[in-house]
Structure formats: structure tokens, C-alpha cells
Amino acid sequence: MADLTRHDFPEGFKWGIATSAAQIEGAAFEDGKGAEIWDIFARTPGKTFRGETPDVACDYYHKYPEQLRMMKELGFNSHRFSFSWARVMPDGTGRINQKGVDFYKRVIDEMLELGLTPNATLYHWDLPQELEYRGGFLNRDFAGWFTEYAEFMFRQFGDVIPLWATFNEPIATYVGYALGAFAPGRKLEKYGREANHNLLLAHGSVVKCFRSLFGEKRPELDLSRPNIGIVVDVWHHHPARPDDERDCAIAELENEKAYRSYLNPIFKGGYTGALLKYMADNDCMPDIRPGDFELIRQPLDFFGLNCYNRVVDSAEPQKIRETVEFAGGNYMDNGAEFYPKAIYDALFNVTKNWGVNVPVFITENGTYNCEEAIVTDAGGRERVHDVTRIRYLKGFIEWLKKAIDEGIDVRGYYVWSLLDNYEWPAASSMRFGLVHCDFGAEKYVLKDSALFMQKFLE
Ligand code: BGC
């Protein structure tokens, strides 16, 4: 295929950079910000790489003008970011921290000035610690807390932000309450399912609040007005051997437990029989009350799809790689499978099978730890030759184009991310940036993938 450029995509398409507050802002205890669960989790021995914390990260709190300018110079026209709830409401409810609000005012003004369309997420994994002390997502009051915070943000910034998402990747909350691998580090399947049900209630409650402020859903997505959606990640599970019943059963259950457990209630109004059976059999049924699904199933304006890869399952996991390679698949140096068709499959899957009937934004796509060494070129300039990241982005963008050509309504694509940032438990050990950056460092080195995107966006 000839090299694509942005001109091969629909008019008005958004090309953006995605980030999240805890991963880039730093200033974790500055200007009145309250602690959030990752500030605490990262301080628990053994939870993050070398015990690294999000205290400094990319120091976006101080360096956002330069970082936003870099997005603009690379040719992007939108920026997906998240608000730190604890920076705005240090206790999670009640008291407002005006300095936090002012910070976001400055950031949004700067984005508008540069022509970067703001795409805001209310919650990207950083629950105020004060709310965790009150039970966090396990408390059914969570929906009320989240709605209080969201309403405040809508009143502050509703008119200047066209794209609002309630949550980024609900599954992270499951990982934090059921598996213990993410903050707050609780570890019981029942907690995970309960937390996710309360998250869905909070999503529905916030969308209702949004409608009461900005009016009912319009027939067409209109970026001159505020719109609301949610961001879900789809890592579709495939059986390694499609003719092996055990492999198929594993993949099917994993899909039910993951992305479908959010899409079904949000777009279809309930959990599937298969998931209900799993929760009943495994003693992890959440507290579901009459009216819950009516609340959760609110009409949305758009759907945010995060897509990184697929997952291949087998009853004999040691054979997965062999099976994939036998079928013509291949792996990147970082050990992940290179399967750019994942984005095409996911777009068809969510729109055809799981009720997503609104325009889609690819809200995240990117890869980590390609060739990350800094080298000096003949002209004395520092460079990072990350050919694997270029191949990855190019592959995903080609399959995205194919899905659009075949009729899927996609309105934007966001790369994760501008800079190497705080990659949760992996902290500094996983680099996702188009631009090399060490926590808090002044020095930014453009990777070849940044130049590739710049050329693509020219
Ligand atoms: C998350 C980001 C994360 C990225 C790369 C996504 O699941 O939304 O916060 O950094 O993946 O792992």
C-alpha cells in the first residue's frame, strides 16, 4: 500500500495525542492537590518498578506550554487529557481547590489558543485517597460523589470542551480491586465486580447530569457543542487453535469478563447470561438493584475505543507463540504480538456485535520499548531510531483506514503518547512516547516515530 497521509482520511478528522493526569502532571503535592490512590499505592513496597511514584512524571503541571506546543508542531489538532479529581477536590467531595481549577483553565486556554481541540476524561484511574478511605468504588455512594465532581467540571468547562468522557478503561478499576495489580491494590473477584457495577452506575448518573445541563442527545455529533461518551479498551481474546474447544471456551469467557461486561450494560441494558452465570458460580455477584440498568444505559454521543493489541488464549499457553507464528503472525522486540488488524477487528466487533451505534474515536493506540537508545547523528543531533514503533503506528493507521473505507464511522485517532510517561506499575520501565523524556528532565529527544507522524500529518 502506498504511504498514507492524513489527506486519505475524512474532512475534520481529529489527530491527537492522549495522556492522563497522574501519568504526566507531577506536582503531586503542590498547590493544594489531595493525595490520590496511586500516590499511596506507589509508596507500598513492591507495587511499582523500583518503587517509582508519579510525584514528578513529565512535570506537565509546570511544562504544559512547551508540551502542548510540541503537539502542535508535530501537526496534531487535538489533545486528550484527564482531570485529576484530587487536584480539583482534594477530599473527593465538597471543598474546591481553586489553584487546581485555575491550572486547568490555563491549560485549556493554551490548547484553544494553539488550535488543539480539548478531549477531556473525568476519571483516568486516580481516585482521591479520601474516597478510598470511604470504601472507594465499593461504596454505592460512589455514583453521587462522582456526579458532584463531574457537575462541577461541566459548569466550569462545559462550554469550551466538545468531547467529554466519563471513565477511561473501566477494567482498570477491576484490576485495582480484584487483582491487586493497580491501585488501590485490593484483591478479591467480588470486589472487582462490585466496583465495576458501581462505576457503571456512576457513568449513567453523570451522563444524566450532563444532559440536564446541556440538553438531550442530538441526532448528529456536533463538535461546536459539548458531547459525552466513555472510553473502553478492547483487547479481544482469540483462541490460539480455533478448532480446539478448550481454547475457544477460554477466549469466550475472557471476552465476557472484560470489554463486553461494560458494553452490554451501557449499550444493551444488562449483563449477558454468560456473565451472570460466571458471577453466580464464582460468588462475585454485585449488588444489582431495580432501575440500575435503566440508569446505566444512557444514550451517548460518541464511543472512545482504546486499542493496543489482541490477546491469544490457549489451554496450553506455552504453545501460543508457535501457533501464532505458524499462522503467519509475528512478534515485536518487546515481546508483544504485531497484529495491527486488531483495530479493524475491534471496530467491526463493537459496532456490529455489541451495540455501539455512535461515532467512534480511537482514543489511544501506541506501543512501548521499541529501540529507545539515544544516538547522535552525523549532524550532531540526538535521535532515537524506533523503527518498530513506526511499523506499529503505520500498520494500525492502515487498518483504521480500511475500516473507515468499509463504512465504520470513526472521527479521530489519538497516539499514546507524546512523552515517555509514568506507566503505572511499570513506571519508567515502559516507554510509550513519540518523544524521549526522563521524569522531570528538561531534555526532550524526538524519536523517529515523532518525525514519521509529523510527515504523515503535514
Ligand atoms: C491506559 C494508559 C496506559 C496505556 C499504555 C491504556 O490502557 O489508558 O493509561 O498508559 O494503556 O499501557
Side-chain angles (χ1 to χ4, degrees):
M1 195 189 294
D3 279 355
L4 297 174
T5 73
R6 78 178 164 87
H7 302 290
D8 297 304
F9 286 78
E11 191 73 22
F13 202 80
K14 295 294 169 200
W15 293 99
I17 288 284
T19 63
S20 88
Q23 294 180 271
I24 62 165
E25 285 181 3
F29 303 100
E30 224 173 293
D31 286 345
K33 176 181 161 291
E36 49 92 359
I37 53 177
W38 283 88
D39 295 323
I40 306 304
F41 184 73
R43 287 174 162 74
T44 314
K47 294 298 187 185
T48 65
F49 175 70
R50 293 199 204 127
E52 288 174 354
T53 68
D55 289 8
V56 179
C58 305
D59 200 20
Y60 177 88
Y61 191 75
H62 301 107
K63 303 201 177 88
Y64 70 89
E66 186 178 354
Q67 295 174 18
L68 294 178
R69 224 170 20 247
M70 226 187 307
M71 295 178 199
K72 175 74 186 171
E73 280 165 13
L74 291 176
F76 293 96
N77 61 16
S78 184
H79 176 26
R80 175 170 178 251
F81 64 103
S82 76
F83 293 112
S84 156
W85 184 347
R87 194 179 291 291
V88 174
M89 288 183 169
D91 308 318
T93 57
R95 186 167 62 92
I96 300 296
N97 175 36
Q98 193 53 44
K99 285 192 173 164
V101 180
D102 292 344
F103 163 66
Y104 290 115
K105 270 201 185 113
R106 292 194 298 278
V107 170
I108 293 165
D109 282 351
E110 187 80 21
M111 270 184 240
L112 294 172
E113 182 83 9
L114 289 167
L116 295 169
T117 302
N119 178 341
T121 298
L122 287 162
Y123 185 83
H124 197 127
W125 311 1
D126 48 355
L127 184 71
Q129 181 63 33
E130 284 301 321
L131 294 182
E132 178 58 20
Y133 291 140
R134 293 161 71 185
F137 281 87
L138 298 178
N139 190 330
R140 236 182 113 99
D141 291 344
F142 179 82
W145 303 335
F146 188 56
T147 309
E148 179 187 334
Y149 153 65
E151 180 173 355
F152 177 79
M153 300 312 276
F154 293 153
R155 288 189 187 279
Q156 291 292 314
F157 302 115
D159 54 336
V160 289
I161 297 182
L163 294 162
W164 290 86
T166 52
F167 287 95
N168 176 73
E169 298 192 359
I171 201 156
T173 298
Y174 170 82
V175 175
Y177 283 79
L179 308 180
F182 283 0
R186 302 203 198 204
K187 215 171 174 177
L188 195 65
E189 181 69 8
K190 177 145 174 71
Y191 290 162
R193 295 291 151 201
E194 196 72 62
N196 268 174
H197 189 69
N198 287 332
L199 179 153
L200 289 168
L201 293 173
H203 161 78
S205 163
V206 163
V207 176
K208 251 179 111 171
C209 162
F210 184 89
R211 298 293 180 213
S212 73
L213 295 174
F214 304 116
E216 288 312 302
K217 175 179 157 67
R218 315 265 154 155
E220 292 296 326
L221 183 74
D222 172 1
L223 295 191
S224 68
R225 310 174 40 83
N227 298 280
I228 193 146
I230 188 168
V231 174
V232 178
D233 53 324
V234 172
W235 294 73
H236 184 74
H237 288 254
H238 293 247
R241 300 163 297 187
D243 50 0
D244 182 297
E245 263 177 41
R246 291 168 311 160
D247 289 11
C248 291
I250 296 172
E252 179 64 15
L253 180 62
E254 289 305 319
N255 288 324
E256 281 293 319
K257 287 165 61 186
Y259 68 90
R260 293 181 197 164
S261 73
Y262 313 112
L263 297 186
N264 280 316
I266 293 171
F267 290 99
K268 294 188 173 184
Y271 296 129
T272 53
L275 184 66
L276 288 168
K277 179 175 181 328
Y278 165 82
M279 296 194 294
D281 292 351
N282 291 278
D283 192 23
C284 59
M285 187 65 78
D287 174 12
I288 304 173
R289 300 189 192 168
D292 281 5
F293 291 117
E294 286 72 46
L295 176 61
I296 295 168
R297 186 188 194 177
Q298 299 293 322
L300 299 181
D301 299 310
F302 72 92
F303 176 69
L305 172 65
N306 286 358
C307 183
Y308 286 87
N309 217 332
R310 67 166 181 178
V311 184
V312 180
D313 292 320
S314 176
E316 292 166 72
Q318 72 285 2
K319 292 210 175 136
I320 292 176
R321 188 162 178 147
E322 218 175 276
T323 324
V324 168
E325 282 173 349
F326 181 73
N330 62 81
Y331 286 80
M332 300 185 286
D333 290 348
N334 61 17
E337 190 194 355
F338 177 64
Y339 188 74
K341 184 168 177 277
I343 198 167
Y344 174 92
D345 293 344
L347 282 165
F348 273 91
N349 188 16
V350 299
T351 53
K352 302 296 172 222
N353 303 327
W354 305 105
V356 173
N357 52 1
V358 287
V360 180
F361 287 81
I362 301 299
T363 32
E364 286 180 32
N365 173 238
T367 190
Y368 59 98
N369 297 6
C370 300
E371 301 76 6
E372 304 285 357
I374 300 180
V375 295
T376 307
D377 69 14
R381 266 178 321 194
E382 290 191 310
R383 286 282 180 242
V384 175
H385 298 313
D386 57 342
V387 270
T388 305
R389 186 173 283 104
I390 295 177
R391 176 168 172 249
Y392 174 98
L393 295 171
K394 198 165 174 286
F396 274 79
I397 291 172
E398 283 170 4
W399 280 103
L400 168 63
K401 157 102 174 120
K402 190 166 155 59
I404 295 173
D405 288 350
E406 290 177 20
I408 308 283
D409 185 1
V410 186
R411 305 291 179 97
Y413 167 93
Y414 294 74
V415 178
W416 185 274
S417 187
L418 181 71
L419 303 177
D420 296 331
N421 58 41
Y422 185 76
E423 181 53 29
W424 310 115
S428 70
S429 72
M430 274 179 143
R431 292 180 177 272
F432 272 91
L434 296 177
V435 179
H436 176 101
C437 163
D438 293 324
F439 295 159
E442 298 291 326
K443 179 164 107 176
Y444 302 131
V445 181
L446 293 188
K447 302 181 192 177
D448 289 354
S449 56
L451 303 174
F452 164 77
M453 284 308 300
Q454 187 173 40
K455 180 147 184 276
F456 173 89
L457 294 170
E458 220 163 48

